[in-house]
Amino acid sequence: MKANAPSLVASFGQARNGPGLLFMLPAAAFLLCFLAYPLGVGTWLGFTDTRIGRAGVFIGLENYQSLWNDSVFWLSVFNTILYTVAASALKFALGLWLALILNENLPLKSFFRAIVLLPWVVPTVLSAIAFWWIYDSQFSVISWVLMRLGLIDAPINFLGDATNARASVIAANVWRGIPFVAISLLAGLQTIPPSLQEAASLDGATSWQRFRHVTLPMLSPIIAVVMTFSVLFTFTDFQLIYVLTKGGPVNATHLMATLSFQRGIPGGQLGEGAAIAVAMTPFLLAAILFSFFGLQRRRWQQGGAD
Amino acid sequence: MASVDIVDVRKSFGAVGIIKGVDVEIGDGEFVILVGPSGCGKSTLLRMIAGLENITSGEIRIGERVVNHLPPKDRDIAMVFQNYALYPHMTVADNMAFSLKLRGAGRDEIAGKLKPAAEILGLTHLLDRYPRQLSGGQRQRVAMGRAIVRDPQVFLFDEPLSNLDAKLRVSMRTEIKELHQRLKTTTVYVTHDQIEAMTMADKIVVMHDGMVEQIGAPLDLYDRPANVFVAGFIGSPAMNMLKGRINPSDAMRFVTEKGGVELPLAAPAPDSARDRDLIYGVRPEHFHQSAHGLPARVVVVEPTGSETQVVIEVGGEELVCVFRERIFARPGDGMSLEIVAAATHLFDAATGARLS
Ligand SMILES: Nc1ncnc2c1ncn2[C@@H]1O[C@H](COP(=O)(O)OP(=O)(O)OP(=O)(O)O)[C@@H](O)[C@H]1O
Ligand SMILES: [Mg+2]
């Protein structure tokens, strides 16, 4: 034993990757503590009947079986998908549109670019509270303006009605998410050499054709990255909903993340909450797989540069 | 096909004037070459014709139609960019066919135009590649191909052969010339290559610092340059230029400032040329060896095979001569040279203008 130890140390030091592994240790420890451990514990909790204040026992798939028959859970799945798809599509469309506008030679260009970033730098909770006021059933500024204009007679019940509430939280999420999409796509647009647009216009392309045949295909790698992130952020969104509706009315805006929190912490059913959170992983994995294929270098990007 | 008229066109970027009043008339079917030092505004002028750069003042007409405010897509112009500007996400074939597709051409029509163009340019085996997978010269040929599959009113070429090797350049030069003879499409072509300019052009426009120095047929520019700039710019090796004055007692002779050497003139100098600082120009090939010529001393001998380039020293000035025959002199040797008087040039030193 004793003779072995120094030689082990020596061979470790001599191995080509020895020092490299050593340098990776802090990062690995960090990842283990703050990523792998919570993930592992969360997954484990999903298989137990832990409650707050009471350590649970392993109960196998029981949590998942009860979720399978739980209509509120399925409603939250539907809500999450609706929320993610609608908000991401809107963020993409509006973000691309904004990016295209900001890419033109506007006066005060940098000023507008800074303005667009605003929704993103405001803390989510703060903007959620602002939206809470905007959507207030009595003091909503939107209702007030529309009533002043004579378009409606009574204040809109933004957060009290299922459809309205869904539309409202989606709108708030879109407002918050647009800057990320717009600024990233703007960065992508600026990597497209202007001479390509010039060549296309000489080739007889209208501005729509230039967009369709030159801008969009060249932007597609960036679109894949940005939209993957946007989908992941939206799917796991929690703060906006929690401040605005807490999942109501009648669970109409409950997302999987908010339901998981509600069952787990205020409801005390840690095991069940964890199971809901774990149930999000197949969807997230699908998004990641999608991005993995979407992000693969396209054939035209391969091969040497100059 | 169309003529292109450029009338007093100016262009400034901000306060900086780049094109300072250019007038060029390009006849229908003409092949015009723009030459000039780097940064003199050739590409800018080309881009203004294409509509990619707006015109600060003046007028550009294509086939009698003023196009100052016509967008590029409506000008029916094909351009080969100095940096190729190939679409990176399209194969070579798609790059070349893009304009045809936009026009709504059918598969057969596209194939029918693509094939001969690819053959001329030697691109047939590269049609499925993407621009990133091509060498610089191949990309340049694709850019050429993208222009020639169309049948535009005007071709604009911005140094289309600059990245090709010498052999390919010669054969492409011939191809472009043949193409032009077949299609008779009005062409404006920018190049830094003297031989391209001399051999391909119907008309050469010499630009300098945003202005046109001279417009004319290649040999006219060569034989009768309008000023010192054109004289020095056209021709390689460049014309020898010597400062000096007219001999006060003999209007047929020029006296150099440095060594007081007397050189012959093509014609008696006009009275206006007397008592002024002048520049005497003689091309390297207009020297002969002769028993009773100027005494010169050999500085460098550079045989190129077909000819011999010799740097000589006459009265303290170094001159370049080119001889068709082989010269076996050594540096330091004496040489006796005669100048072909009829081929000499005289310019005003102050204005640079030619004195006939
Ligand atoms: N967008 C621009 N803004 C400001 N100056 C410009 C712009 N484009 C070109 N210039 C200037 O205009 C001048 C002419 O440029 P241009 O590209 O026409 O030169 P060129 O004759 O084509 O040169 P080369 O032979 O090197 O290609 C240059 O001095 C250049 O710096
Ligand atoms: Mg140029």
Side-chain angles (χ1 to χ4, degrees):
Chain A
M1 260 332 268
K2 223 167 181 242
N4 229 350
S7 80
L8 200 78
V9 170
S11 75
F12 182 73
Q14 273 163 5
R16 211 163 55 86
N17 293 327
L21 287 174
L22 211 63
F23 285 127
M24 274 156 52
L25 265 182
F30 188 86
L31 286 178
L32 272 176
C33 288
F34 295 104
L35 262 169
Y37 175 71
L39 196 66
V41 170
T43 314
W44 165 250
L45 280 177
F47 294 108
T48 67
D49 62 353
T50 312
R51 294 182 185 202
I52 288 184
R54 196 200 80 189
V57 293
F58 181 78
I59 52 167
L61 291 175
E62 227 170 81
N63 280 331
Y64 294 95
Q65 278 161 1
S66 74
L67 282 181
W68 187 264
N69 300 316
D70 180 349
S71 64
V72 175
F73 169 73
W74 286 113
L75 181 65
S76 80
V77 172
F78 168 79
N79 286 339
T80 310
I81 291 174
L82 176 76
Y83 184 73
T84 307
V85 170
S88 296
L90 280 170
K91 274 186 270 194
F92 172 65
L94 294 173
L96 182 58
W97 180 67
L98 255 181
L100 289 171
I101 292 179
L102 289 176
N103 197 33
E104 295 294 316
N105 267 325
L106 303 169
L108 297 177
K109 189 156 71 176
S110 18
F111 174 72
F112 283 116
R113 286 182 189 174
I115 290 272
V116 166
L117 268 179
L118 263 187
W120 213 42
V121 291
V122 178
T124 312
V125 173
L126 201 64
S127 51
I129 290 174
F131 269 104
W132 191 50
W133 269 103
I134 291 174
Y135 291 151
D136 190 276
S137 54
Q138 280 171 41
F139 306 111
S140 162
V141 63
I142 301 176
S143 300
W144 184 77
V145 168
L146 291 179
M147 274 158 72
R148 272 298 166 101
L149 290 175
L151 293 175
I152 54 172
D153 307 324
I156 302 173
N157 189 5
F158 283 104
L159 300 178
D161 168 89
T163 315
N164 282 356
R166 282 179 180 149
S168 300
V169 293
I170 287 173
N173 179 279
V174 168
W175 180 81
R176 227 193 111 60
I178 276 186
F180 172 70
V181 177
I183 295 295
S184 310
L185 293 185
L186 177 63
L189 282 177
Q190 287 179 342
T191 65
I192 302 177
S195 62
L196 293 186
Q197 304 285 351
E198 295 176 350
S201 65
L202 280 173
D203 272 342
T206 60
S207 53
W208 164 249
Q209 285 169 323
R210 290 205 300 274
F211 172 75
R212 169 74 191 74
H213 296 292
V214 179
T215 311
L216 204 55
M218 295 213 55
L219 208 55
S220 62
I222 283 255
I223 291 177
V225 181
V226 172
M227 289 322 291
T228 302
F229 276 97
S230 178
V231 164
L232 292 182
F233 289 151
T234 316
F235 196 88
T236 54
D237 194 14
F238 171 82
Q239 298 181 57
L240 256 181
I241 301 287
Y242 201 72
V243 175
L244 280 181
T245 64
K246 288 219 166 41
V250 210
N251 300 325
T253 59
H254 244 320
L255 303 186
M256 292 170 85
T258 52
L259 187 69
S260 154
F261 176 77
Q262 208 203 19
R263 295 262 169 101
I265 310 295
Q269 307 281 354
L270 274 182
E272 195 181 336
I276 297 175
V278 170
M280 290 167 78
T281 37
F283 297 100
L284 295 174
L285 275 182
I288 288 170
L289 275 185
F290 176 81
S291 76
F292 176 79
F293 290 110
L295 290 183
Q296 275 183 337
R297 279 159 78 78
R298 285 151 184 69
R299 204 150 86 79
W300 56 268
Q301 292 177 297
Q302 283 162 3
D306 296 73
Chain B
M1 270 175 276
S3 60
V4 177
D5 290 310
I6 299 168
V7 185
D8 194 28
V9 160
R10 285 161 202 274
K11 170 80 192 174
S12 29
F13 289 108
V16 194
I18 299 293
I19 303 284
K20 302 164 183 163
V22 165
D23 286 276
V24 185
E25 271 178 37
I26 301 167
D28 190 0
E30 238 176 353
F31 197 110
V32 170
I33 288 191
L34 291 182
V35 294
S38 184
C40 70
K42 305 179 297 290
S43 297
T44 308
L45 187 60
L46 224 53
R47 290 168 57 81
M48 288 197 288
I49 299 174
L52 300 174
E53 211 77 73
N54 53 21
I55 300 165
T56 307
S57 75
E59 198 172 275
I60 293 183
R61 288 194 297 264
I62 298 178
E64 300 311 314
R65 184 163 63 139
V66 179
V67 296
N68 284 20
H69 299 291
L70 203 65
K73 74 177 178 61
D74 298 327
R75 294 197 186 191
D76 197 11
I77 282 177
M79 178 160 173
V80 175
F81 288 79
Q82 198 166 357
N83 62 357
Y84 325 134
L86 300 179
Y87 309 119
H89 57 289
M90 295 186 199
T91 60
V92 168
D94 289 338
N95 261 284
M96 288 168 66
F98 186 55
S99 60
L100 301 174
K101 280 182 188 158
L102 288 180
R103 225 191 283 159
R107 265 167 163 270
D108 295 340
E109 188 191 339
I110 289 175
K113 292 202 166 162
L114 215 56
K115 203 162 160 277
E119 262 161 27
I120 289 178
L121 297 163
L123 293 172
T124 313
H125 62 295
L126 302 174
L127 285 176
D128 292 328
R129 293 227 198 147
Y130 288 93
R132 281 186 84 107
Q133 303 163 320
L134 301 177
S135 74
Q138 290 167 335
R139 287 181 211 181
Q140 203 153 40
R141 282 182 279 152
V142 177
M144 289 280 302
R146 197 167 61 179
I148 65 178
V149 294
R150 292 176 50 188
D151 192 10
Q153 300 253 14
V154 181
F155 277 132
L156 304 177
F157 292 118
D158 200 346
E159 304 186 28
L161 307 184
S162 56
N163 271 322
L164 306 185
D165 64 54
K167 191 161 162 248
L168 199 53
R169 192 183 296 201
V170 171
S171 73
M172 286 289 292
R173 204 161 74 200
T174 322
E175 292 293 356
I176 294 178
K177 198 67 199 151
E178 275 179 18
L179 195 78
H180 179 252
Q181 267 153 17
R182 205 166 64 230
L183 302 177
K184 292 263 181 297
T185 307
T186 313
T187 304
V188 186
Y189 187 109
V190 173
T191 180
H192 280 290
D193 186 319
Q194 297 265 343
I195 311 211
E196 264 172 49
M198 296 302 286
T199 54
M200 297 169 80
D202 292 325
K203 196 152 92 181
I204 295 181
V205 178
V206 184
M207 287 183 65
H208 178 216
D209 205 9
M211 284 185 289
V212 172
E213 293 285 347
Q214 191 176 0
I215 302 179
L219 290 179
D220 286 347
L221 293 196
Y222 193 83
D223 292 340
R224 290 182 61 79
N227 51 45
V228 174
F229 178 81
V230 178
F233 192 80
I234 302 281
S236 169
M239 184 187 283
N240 297 295
M241 307 226 202
L242 300 161
K243 274 193 179 168
R245 289 177 172 228
I246 299 296
N247 184 340
S249 55
D250 184 353
M252 284 295 282
R253 301 197 71 78
F254 177 90
V255 186
T256 64
E257 189 180 275
K258 239 188 194 167
V261 182
E262 295 217 344
L263 303 169
L265 291 175
D271 284 347
S272 61
R274 285 172 183 270
D275 299 326
R276 287 168 70 177
D277 285 335
L278 301 174
I279 290 175
Y280 178 90
V282 56
R283 293 210 181 268
E285 65 270 29
H286 293 138
F287 290 87
H288 290 301
Q289 281 183 295
S290 148
H292 318 289
L294 285 168
R297 195 174 55 80
V298 174
V299 180
V300 181
V301 181
E302 294 173 337
T304 62
S306 62
E307 52 193 29
T308 313
Q309 196 169 316
V310 184
V311 181
I312 55 162
E313 192 238 277
V314 177
E317 307 244 23
E318 286 197 352
L319 304 179
V320 179
C321 313
V322 172
F323 300 98
R324 297 293 302 166
E325 66 270 21
R326 301 254 157 121
I327 305 282
F328 296 100
R330 306 261 247 28
D333 286 358
M335 220 178 177
S336 175
L337 294 174
E338 195 180 330
I339 290 174
V340 181
T344 62
H345 311 262
L346 203 57
F347 304 97
D348 188 321
T351 64
R354 178 185 192 85
L355 301 171
S356 324

